[in-house]
Amino acid sequence: DAKTTQPPSMDCAEGRAANLPCNHSTISGNEYVYWYRQIHSQGPQYIIHGLKNNETNEMASLIITEDRKSSTLILPHATLRDTAVYYCIAESGGYQKVTFGIGTKLQVIP
Amino acid sequence: DAGVTQSPTHLIKTRGQQVTLRCSPKSGHDTVSWYQQALGQGPQFIFQYYEEEERQRGNFPDRFSGHQFPNYSSELNVNALLLGDSALYLCASSLWGLNTEAFFGQGTRLTVV
């Protein structure tokens, strides 16, 4: 599985968009980009995933660059409940050997 | 749908003892993966079970073993516990062979004293 690089921490004002970057420059053609988040002491929660097209669901949007070497998770209107550690993962689909890094600790500020 | 359930939620063991953790996957899921999460770190992949066989394994010693039952539930066993085994143990379920998300349980907090 490709290694991903994320900033260790970010702050975002409540109500503003949170843009979380992820670098996955060694991603291979069959690897998807997955985003999960983990609120303190809970199990990780799936947010969104994609291969090469931008994706949107009720929680977030995922923007993947054309060369697939990086992506951005966008939380359109961050709330205090979005404070969590966000993990970006690049993995071969279907087998779920998910390799987590340290992730980005997002702090939403009132 | 109860989602992924893990038991127990917390337990305390003594160094050298053995422990068994249990996981029931989300209804309809056939694949179970186990992770260890030390304080302040991301989850580390231990192993994955599908069709009652270990399919993939992370960089963990043989003291860590598992089992999957015909109903897809799974157990994680750790022998000869070390202080460093203290962590949150997470179970995730998914569908084998599909590019879909994994669902995680709330974890078992193991403390080795």
Side-chain angles (χ1 to χ4, degrees), chain A residues 83-106:
Chain A
T83 293
V85 178
Y86 288 77
Y87 297 100
C88 167
I89 298 145
E91 57 130 350
S92 302
Y95 304 101
Q96 302 295 340
K97 181 184 176 182
V98 178
T99 302
F100 290 82
I102 296 178
T104 295
K105 185 173 184 178
L106 175 68

Side-chain angles (χ1 to χ4, degrees), chain A residues 36-46 87 100, chain B residues 1-10 21-27 29 31-37 43 74 87-94 101-109:
Chain A
Y36 289 81
R37 72 181 183 185
Q38 188 173 25
I39 296 169
H40 183 63
S41 296
Q42 298 183 18
Q45 175 193 24
Y46 166 81
Y87 297 100
F100 290 82
Chain B
D1 184 2
V4 179
T5 59
Q6 292 187 243
S7 63
T9 54
H10 297 81
L21 311 182
R22 295 176 175 82
C23 172
S24 293
K26 179 179 170 62
S27 178
H29 281 185
T31 303
V32 173
S33 302
W34 287 92
Y35 295 83
Q36 180 195 67
Q37 187 173 26
S74 178
L88 179 68
Y89 288 84
L90 295 161
C91 167
S93 74
S94 58
E101 70 270 31
F103 287 79
F104 284 79
Q106 293 305 295
T108 294
R109 173 71 63 184

Side-chain angles (χ1 to χ4, degrees), chain A residues 62-81:
Chain A
L62 173 61
I63 309 298
I64 303 173
T65 58
E66 191 170 345
D67 62 8
R68 302 209 326 120
K69 293 184 183 299
S70 65
S71 62
T72 301
L73 176 74
I74 301 173
L75 307 179
H77 305 286
T79 71
L80 298 179
R81 288 177 295 179

Side-chain angles (χ1 to χ4, degrees), chain B residues 18-65:
Chain B
Q18 178 264 345
V19 68
T20 298
L21 311 182
R22 295 176 175 82
C23 172
S24 293
K26 179 179 170 62
S27 178
H29 281 185
D30 54 13
T31 303
V32 173
S33 302
W34 287 92
Y35 295 83
Q36 180 195 67
Q37 187 173 26
L39 206 60
Q41 303 295 317
Q44 299 298 307
F45 176 81
I46 302 175
F47 43 52
Q48 178 187 73
Y49 278 85
Y50 169 68
E51 290 190 333
E52 301 179 51
E53 291 187 13
E54 183 181 294
R55 298 292 177 162
Q56 298 191 71
R57 189 178 183 92
N59 188 26
F60 279 81
D62 292 345
R63 298 188 297 109
F64 290 77
S65 63

